[in-house]
Amino acid sequence: MSFFDSLRPDLQLIADWIPPGSRVLDLGCGEGELLAWLQQHKQANCYGVDFDVNNVVGCVKAGVNAIQGDLEAGLAEFEDQRFDHVVLSQTIQAMRHTEEILLEMLRVGREAIVTFPNFGYWQNRWQIMLGRMPVSDDMPYQWYNTPNIHWCMLGDFDALCAKNHIRVLERVVMTHGRQVNFLPNLRGSLAFYRVSRG
């Protein structure tokens, strides 16, 4: 029995993209909520990496294989195409070597799933117009204590993928757990991409 019987809407969307029996690597896996759910409900073969040793302990308690590791150092411990899906959820904006980790994800996995807060969301733009850095549910930190160093919008991530010949298989944008289809870059607070090598 998993610790996690249901998922937050953002993690559920990721889980919906992963077929049963997949080999999954979750980078920045936290306490293993997504992986534990995938193991229980989709019989996935899961592995997690997180910088925080307390999160790794949480994964072990949830029955998830995980190691402590620094994603900035790359994924050299994993061989090419070892996984079907590599997940990086709401972490890419906090990484110094954004392009490199995306390429590494697609070296060790057939597909990558990347999610990030959309800086183009209208409430973020409004706060900037009022003279303040945005703070929201998806970006809960103040400017002086945020781990986030690379903000981007949908077009920025599309351009990064195009530059590296990465194919966008699916893109979904959500706000408060609901999918946004009309004016997604303006009305969506959280972006989800499923990508593969071109």
Side-chain angles (χ1 to χ4, degrees):
M1 181 74 174
S2 167
F3 282 12
F4 307 104
D5 292 322
S6 63
L7 292 172
R8 300 187 321 249
D10 59 311
L11 295 181
Q12 186 62 61
L13 175 60
I14 295 169
D16 290 345
W17 278 349
I18 297 174
S22 295
R23 298 167 299 154
V24 181
L25 174 64
D26 189 356
L27 305 175
C29 61
E31 294 187 341
E33 179 179 358
L34 173 65
L35 297 179
W37 191 94
L38 288 170
Q39 285 179 170
Q40 180 179 346
H41 296 277
K42 292 200 171 182
Q43 295 69 53
N45 183 0
C46 298
Y47 205 83
V49 179
D50 202 280
F51 186 75
D52 187 336
V53 70
N54 294 320
N55 285 340
V56 174
V57 170
C59 286
V60 173
K61 287 180 181 175
V64 172
N65 290 321
I67 60 168
Q68 194 273 336
D70 182 2
L71 301 181
E72 298 287 4
L75 303 175
E77 64 269 32
F78 300 111
E79 68 234 29
D80 294 359
Q81 302 297 289
R82 164 122 182 245
F83 299 95
D84 299 308
H85 301 273
V86 182
V87 177
L88 187 65
S89 177
Q90 299 189 55
T91 303
I92 199 166
Q93 74 280 356
M95 303 207 58
R96 295 192 182 281
H97 306 290
T98 304
E99 190 169 14
E100 290 84 351
I101 194 63
L102 183 59
L103 294 173
E104 274 287 271
M105 291 171 73
L106 289 170
R107 177 186 66 78
V108 303
R110 287 188 311 102
E111 294 184 0
I113 298 173
V114 178
T115 77
F116 56 89
N118 174 29
F119 202 65
Y121 180 46
W122 74 269
Q123 289 187 6
N124 298 335
R125 298 179 195 219
W126 179 249
Q127 289 181 64
I128 290 170
M129 286 178 58
L130 294 176
R132 302 290 300 270
M133 282 299 290
V135 177
S136 67
D137 291 342
D138 294 315
M139 302 188 313
Y141 300 96
Q142 297 292 331
W143 68 271
Y144 52 83
N145 65 3
T146 182
N148 301 317
I149 56 175
H150 293 301
W151 293 116
C152 72
M153 300 182 211
L154 306 185
D156 297 316
F157 194 79
D158 289 336
L160 177 62
C161 289
K163 177 190 173 211
N164 288 284
H165 309 289
I166 293 170
R167 184 177 168 210
V168 176
L169 304 172
E170 290 187 73
R171 181 182 80 185
V172 171
V173 183
M174 296 177 85
T175 299
H176 304 303
R178 293 193 192 119
Q179 192 167 329
V180 174
N181 296 311
F182 179 66
L183 298 174
N185 195 46
L186 185 65
R187 298 178 59 244
S189 65
L190 196 57
F192 300 75
Y193 280 78
R194 186 170 69 88
V195 300
S196 69
R197 296 298 285 180

